[in-house]
């Protein structure tokens, strides 16, 4: 009896490609096309490795990974998240939901086989560690915040009560006298301008366009 491999992907092309890749390998491949069916089939067949599409109908790949990690019977199952080349992939979310590794589509046949074999070895090591042991998939704790002690407040020095002038003597006072008008010059007269009211038809903005 070969190793049980569960593929959850809604792409017919990916289903056929994975089937061809593992046709000559020692695997029993089971295929489903949505996340809800993946969880149901996983609880039924207990696969050795799960290949999970990140974006698919029903529960998406991230949600399937998280559900597997919270299921006591499946929590040690190695998980490979499959992502599309033009699909948004949240690597941090993949790590937090419990995915062990990921691969981008399209992929090389040998690349996928190598990753699955690595995950098989990982699953075997978890089995040796102890059945039911919860793998550490949690994100690393953020570094502790540093507390900065406030510097003591120092009051500014009080200003001096008396300011001494930089000049020892007061400035001299200058008195201006009006200029005398030349003899025979006519007396200055004030010029008066009369303001005309603008007619309603007058263009006050002239040639300016707003």
């Amino acid at each position: 009896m070969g190793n049980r491999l569960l593929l959850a992907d809604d792409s017919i092309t990916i289903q056929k490609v994975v089937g061809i890749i593992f046709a000559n390998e020692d695997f029993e491949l089971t295929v489903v096309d949505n996340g809800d069916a993946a969880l149901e089939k996983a609880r039924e067949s207990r696969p050795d490795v799960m290949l999970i599409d990140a974006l698919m109908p029903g529960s998406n790949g991230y949600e399937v990974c998280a559900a597997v990690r919270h299921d006591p019977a499946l929590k040690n199952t190695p998980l490979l998240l499959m992502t599309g080349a033009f699909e948004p992939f949240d690597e941090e979310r993949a790590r937090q939901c419990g995915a062990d590794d990921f691969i981008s589509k399209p992929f090389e046949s040998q690349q996928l086989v190598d990753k699955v074999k690595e995950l098989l070895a990982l699953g075997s090591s978890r089995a040796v560690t102890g059945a039911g042991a919860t793998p550490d998939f949690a994100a690393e704790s953020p570094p502790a915040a540093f507390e900065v002690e406030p510097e003591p407040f120092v009051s500014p020095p009080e200003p001096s009560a008396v300011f001494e002038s930089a000049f020892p003597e007061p400035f001299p006072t200058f008195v201006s006298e009006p200029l005398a008008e030349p003899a025979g010059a006519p007396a200055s007269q004030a010029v008066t301008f009369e303001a005309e009211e603008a007619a309603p038809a007058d263009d006050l903005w002239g040639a300016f366009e707003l």
Side-chain angles (χ1 to χ4, degrees):
M1 183 177 179
N3 297 299
R4 296 179 300 274
L5 185 63
L6 176 59
L7 169 65
D9 198 306
D10 60 324
S11 170
I12 301 298
T13 301
I14 294 298
Q15 294 175 8
K16 291 181 178 180
V17 168
V18 174
I20 294 172
I21 291 175
F22 289 98
N24 297 323
E25 300 289 337
D26 189 21
F27 285 94
E28 289 184 5
L29 179 63
T30 302
V31 178
V32 294
D33 60 1
N34 64 81
D36 298 332
L39 290 172
E40 182 180 350
K41 184 60 68 173
R43 296 185 178 104
E44 176 186 328
S45 63
R46 303 293 178 85
D48 297 304
V49 177
M50 293 180 65
L51 310 180
I52 308 169
D53 185 23
L55 299 178
M56 57 182 169
S59 300
N60 62 38
Y62 304 101
E63 295 169 342
V64 171
C65 290
V68 169
R69 292 294 174 236
H70 287 86
D71 190 316
L74 301 173
K75 62 183 180 181
N76 290 327
T77 305
L79 305 176
L80 179 65
L81 201 60
M82 307 174 71
T83 66
F86 303 102
E87 297 174 355
F89 174 60
D90 190 339
E91 185 174 351
E92 178 64 21
R93 185 182 178 188
R95 187 165 63 95
Q96 291 180 353
C97 73
D100 294 294
D101 201 351
F102 72 94
I103 189 170
S104 298
K105 300 178 285 186
F107 42 75
E108 296 291 337
S109 300
Q110 193 58 46
Q111 180 188 16
L112 179 61
V113 172
D114 291 343
K115 282 185 176 290
V116 169
K117 289 183 176 179
E118 290 174 1
L119 292 177
L120 277 175
L122 177 62
S124 299
S125 66
R126 288 175 182 167
V128 172
T129 303
T134 303
D136 184 14
F137 297 106
E140 297 179 1
S141 301
F146 294 96
E147 296 183 359
V148 180
E149 296 183 359
E151 297 182 359
F153 177 76
V154 179
S155 301
E158 296 183 358
S160 176
V162 178
F163 295 94
E164 296 182 356
S165 172
F167 301 95
E169 297 180 358
F171 290 104
T173 302
F174 297 93
V175 179
S176 60
E177 296 181 357
L179 297 176
E181 296 183 356
S188 300
Q189 296 181 355
V191 180
T192 303
F193 295 93
E194 295 183 0
E196 298 181 359
E197 294 185 0
D202 291 344
D203 182 8
L204 300 181
W205 292 100
F208 294 97
E209 296 181 358
L210 299 179

